[in-house]
Amino acid sequence: MFSKILIANRGEIALRVLRACKELGIQTVAVHSTADQDAMHVRLADESVCIGPPPSRESYLNIHQILAACEITGADAVHPGYGFLSENAKFADILEAHGLTFIGPTAEHIRMMGDKITAKKTAEELGIPVVPGSEGEITTDEEAKKVANEIGFPVIIKATAGGGGRGMKVANNEDELSIALATARSEAGAAFGNEAVYIEKYLAKPRHIEIQVMGDGEGNAVHLGERDCSLQRRHQKVWEEANSPSLNSAQRQEIGEICAEAMRKMKYRGAGTVEFLYENGEFYFIEMNTRLQVEHPVTEAITGIDLVHEQIRVASGGGLSVTQKDIRFSGHAIECRINAEDPRSFVPSPGTITHYHPPGGLGVRVDSGVYQGYKIPPYYDSLIGKLIVHGRNRVECMMRLRRSLDEFVVDGINTTIPLFRDLLANPDIANGDYDIHWLEKFLAQKSSE
Ligand code: ADP
């Protein structure tokens, strides 16, 4: 087992990883920018190192500084959290070259899944159902037309280096296609430094359902069920739940086993998420994330398995603590992403939290890095915490969530807490009857009222 882990991240996820390390008796090193010197992850870590000024590229994305921090503190492994360097294959390579362990998959697997065209090809070869679309990159209008007519309109043009819901354009007919192709390519170039795009069938009313997997790198792997992340704004997840209101246990076992088997064949190491769109009873692979996800706690709530413990165990060569038959799904869990944003306009709301009272009680978990008097810096994403609620069934979970939101006090800034109160009052949400477009429509309707 490792003796000291450096956590190359900030905010709630840095704290989440730190807690797992403490439970396992591992020393922790926090890294931080000058804007984060008063952050909770810095306060709670055994040691901390300032790695640069506020902009992420000069601090949390600065590989040299992070390496130097490992050297100064004698850390033997690095946990990247999510975002920042978590899916950076070069970072994983550099750490290994310096005799440090990257807590995650191999650089080769990160690369393979980081390029969405390769990811789709690989998934297909491994027996995972994929969205119909182009075989590879599309560069000309003629190619685009040919593929679009084969699969049928509407189609979506997506960046092969894409992430965070950026660089996607929908075309409803041939006339819209060439403009969509040109804009998608230039947006992809600007956002990712890579213009390559591909085409896939645009699904009209799918749900976003993803499967959590965990492998030991030796050919053993398990699935931990699904998460339904259909409630999205601008392709960004807002609310996630497990189990999905739309799957039964036979469907769960079937798609879960397909993913677990694919991970066994790949000899995948660590935590991963296989993302699908789900429509009319069919699953369509869209991408795989080779890291811990923001929404991992809903899986932890219904399985009782600490995913960060498993990541650390596997990375240290200790293997998985569970086999598939040990994994049971109990009750229902929902996560609300609490952002420091105006709940109507979604404009970020950095500033000082003047009063803070998180909810508690049975089945309630708050993962957050903030506290009363904490000043939210303007430089990073606006997620300030996650409220995760567990109940014996979905009805109990929703009752508990409503109560928890009422108890949650964050004064001094705007937060998205009121949005979740509105969602809970909606019959579609109560019935679990929503797809990936539902939230945008709901928000558009609200803003016109
Ligand atoms: P990113 O890596 O940028 O998050 P994804 O491929 O995971 O991109 O897609 C993000 C979201 O975009 C999906 O959850 C879904 O809402 C939408 N989307 C992606 N592909 C399609 C598609 N073929 N049809 C309809 N919606 C899609």
Side-chain angles (χ1 to χ4, degrees):
M1 189 44 88
F2 306 117
S3 58
K4 198 184 269 189
I5 291 178
L6 182 142
I7 302 161
N9 216 301
R10 65 182 299 282
E12 68 87 18
I13 195 61
L15 214 57
R16 163 72 189 91
V17 173
L18 188 140
R19 286 178 174 139
C21 293
K22 289 199 184 250
E23 287 169 6
L24 296 171
I26 300 168
Q27 294 282 303
T28 51
V29 181
V31 292
H32 65 92
S33 71
T34 50
D36 275 343
Q37 60 203 15
D38 296 323
M40 208 60 183
H41 74 281
V42 178
R43 293 185 176 191
L44 290 184
D46 297 303
E47 291 168 76
S48 64
V49 181
C50 180
I51 50 166
S56 307
R57 63 177 186 284
E58 294 173 51
S59 49
Y60 297 103
L61 291 171
N62 187 329
I63 295 178
H64 294 292
Q65 290 287 39
I66 292 169
L67 263 185
C70 288
E71 201 155 302
I72 294 164
T73 56
D76 41 20
V78 174
H79 194 299
Y82 54 68
F84 294 131
L85 296 167
S86 61
E87 290 177 293
N88 186 314
K90 188 175 125 200
F91 181 55
D93 272 337
I94 291 174
L95 289 180
E96 300 290 334
H98 285 79
L100 297 159
T101 303
F102 174 76
I103 301 178
T106 60
E108 185 202 344
H109 284 160
I110 299 174
R111 264 190 203 103
M112 189 185 268
M113 294 301 171
D115 179 279
K116 292 189 176 195
I117 292 175
T118 315
K120 251 181 112 171
K121 253 187 217 146
T122 310
E124 210 170 1
E125 283 162 18
L126 291 168
I128 296 175
V130 304
V131 192
S134 59
E135 294 252 322
E137 189 188 346
I138 293 287
T139 48
T140 66
D141 287 356
E142 288 68 44
E143 284 174 295
K145 264 185 208 158
K146 189 168 173 281
V147 175
N149 282 317
E150 268 164 31
I151 58 178
F153 285 98
V155 296
I156 183 166
I157 303 176
K158 297 168 70 171
T160 181
R166 287 175 303 165
M168 285 186 247
K169 286 276 165 285
V170 178
N172 290 298
N173 48 51
E174 274 197 13
D175 294 341
E176 290 177 12
L177 196 58
S178 61
I179 296 174
L181 180 64
T183 26
R185 282 178 67 82
S186 74
E187 274 186 27
F192 312 111
N194 177 354
E195 285 204 340
V197 297
Y198 61 105
I199 294 189
E200 65 191 18
K201 172 115 195 107
Y202 181 72
L203 299 169
K205 290 180 168 182
R207 297 181 80 111
H208 173 116
I209 296 183
E210 56 185 37
I211 305 291
Q212 175 72 53
V213 291
M214 183 69 79
D216 68 355
E218 309 280 332
N220 299 301
V222 294
H223 75 86
L224 293 104
E226 84 282 11
R227 292 182 288 260
D228 193 318
C229 313
S230 301
L231 288 175
Q232 302 180 353
R233 179 179 169 269
R234 300 197 171 161
H235 303 304
Q236 301 263 27
K237 299 162 189 168
V238 169
W239 151 307
E240 301 99 348
E241 47 185 309
N243 301 315
S244 168
S246 65
L247 287 196
N248 61 35
S249 90
Q251 289 170 305
R252 170 169 313 114
Q253 289 308 336
E254 189 185 344
I255 190 69
E257 192 44 44
I258 288 173
C259 295
E261 186 53 27
M263 295 307 117
R264 289 176 201 126
K265 285 188 200 147
M266 271 176 86
K267 291 201 163 67
Y268 186 78
R269 183 180 76 203
T273 298
V274 188
E275 295 196 336
F276 295 94
L277 295 177
Y278 175 76
E279 194 173 68
N280 299 330
E282 301 286 337
F283 284 93
Y284 302 97
F285 171 90
I286 46 173
E287 67 164 342
M288 177 169 180
N289 291 319
T290 51
R291 56 169 166 83
L292 193 67
Q293 304 260 103
V294 176
E295 58 273 23
H296 76 277
V298 291
T299 300
E300 295 184 325
I302 64 160
T303 60
I305 295 167
D306 186 310
L307 292 172
V308 181
H309 280 193
E310 294 302 315
Q311 286 187 297
I312 296 171
R313 273 183 68 108
V314 163
S316 70
L320 293 167
S321 78
V322 286
T323 60
Q324 194 65 55
K325 66 172 178 11
D326 304 323
I327 300 170
R328 299 255 181 281
F329 305 104
S330 160
H332 194 88
I334 296 175
E335 172 180 280
C336 298
R337 296 195 189 192
I338 316 280
N339 288 345
E341 288 171 357
D342 183 289
R344 280 188 156 240
S345 66
F346 298 95
V347 171
S349 178
T352 302
I353 296 179
T354 53
H355 193 76
Y356 181 69
H357 175 82
L362 179 63
V364 179
R365 165 176 175 183
V366 177
D367 275 21
S368 169
V370 307
Y371 52 87
Q372 194 154 314
Y374 176 70
K375 192 168 180 215
I376 299 164
Y379 311 103
Y380 311 106
D381 83 32
S382 54
L383 182 77
I384 56 163
K386 306 179 308 202
L387 169 61
I388 305 103
V389 175
H390 183 236
R392 285 173 301 173
N393 50 51
R394 194 164 185 269
V395 172
E396 187 176 85
C397 184
M398 304 257 291
M399 279 162 38
R400 197 164 274 158
L401 180 55
R402 189 170 300 116
R403 183 276 290 172
S404 302
L405 288 165
D406 286 343
E407 217 174 293
F408 214 147
V409 179
V410 187
D411 286 344
I413 55 157
N414 288 319
T415 76
T416 49
I417 292 173
L419 167 68
F420 297 110
R421 293 204 186 101
D422 287 350
L423 290 179
L424 279 172
N426 188 285
D428 289 347
I429 300 295
N431 297 329
D433 183 13
Y434 54 81
D435 60 34
I436 58 167
H437 306 297
W438 188 93
L439 183 60
E440 295 275 7
K441 283 188 207 142
F442 172 80
L443 294 170
Q445 198 179 336
K446 260 195 103 57
S447 70
S448 69
E449 274 166 14

